[in-house]
Amino acid sequence: MKHIFVFLQFLCITVLSYFGDVLAFDILIVVQVLALILGIWAMRSVGENNWSVYPVPNEGSTISTLGAYRYVRHPMYLALLLFFTVVAFRANGPFSWTVYGVLWITLATKILVEEHKIVQKHTEYTPYKRVTKKRLIPFVW
């Protein structure tokens, strides 16, 4: 099952990249730069052994509550979605928005599966969820 999430995620990214302008020097690049900064901040905040493309915790992983993880529980996914919102917007067609929707559904489902697995492995995740209430979007979800 974990391979299906990763396959769908990368398929959507590839399709969006093919049909949309990944990088264009327009006003929307500001959002993409902010998404890249958020992604880098999240990667630095989470630590070396705590991230993976698969929705299962790594062996020897820990829970990060620092940096970007103080605000949302999945800032790397947020950065990815922000970056590719711009790509879908530039492609601006029903097909690109459908692919972007599939990416959203894939990542939202992946988050739910990942959190279920993390709770099983790390008892400290439940108290963390009480403090950092939102999974992906501050003040929303």
Side-chain angles (χ1 to χ4, degrees):
M1 183 78 169
K2 69 181 184 176
H3 298 294
I4 293 171
F5 288 119
V6 174
F7 174 77
L8 283 173
Q9 177 181 341
F10 282 97
L11 178 65
C12 290
I13 289 169
T14 302
V15 170
L16 284 170
S17 298
Y18 181 77
F19 288 104
D21 289 328
V22 174
L23 289 176
F25 293 99
D26 55 15
I27 192 68
L28 296 175
I29 199 164
V30 172
V31 176
Q32 287 183 301
V33 169
L34 291 173
L36 288 171
I37 290 168
L38 173 61
I40 292 167
W41 184 33
M43 288 180 72
R44 292 182 55 90
S45 300
V46 76
E48 287 185 30
N49 191 39
N50 289 336
W51 73 277
S52 170
V53 294
Y54 295 108
V56 292
N58 292 334
E59 191 66 36
S61 64
T62 59
I63 300 300
S64 177
T65 60
L66 304 173
Y69 289 85
R70 290 185 356 220
Y71 303 101
V72 290
R73 297 194 303 256
H74 301 278
M76 285 190 230
Y77 294 146
L78 175 59
L80 182 73
L81 287 168
L82 281 174
F83 188 90
F84 281 96
T85 298
V86 172
V87 177
F89 190 84
R90 285 184 187 132
N92 197 25
F95 179 70
S96 63
W97 285 111
T98 301
V99 172
Y100 182 73
V102 171
L103 178 61
W104 249 101
I105 291 167
T106 300
L107 291 180
T109 307
K110 188 177 174 185
I111 285 170
L112 295 175
V113 169
E114 185 175 328
E115 287 196 340
H116 178 73
K117 302 257 184 204
I118 292 172
V119 165
Q120 290 176 336
K121 182 172 180 162
H122 296 286
T123 57
E124 67 273 19
Y125 195 73
T126 301
Y128 167 66
K129 287 178 11 178
R130 283 189 217 111
V131 174
T132 306
K133 295 180 187 332
K134 303 305 177 189
R135 291 179 172 105
L136 192 62
I137 304 169
F139 312 108
V140 180
W141 185 73

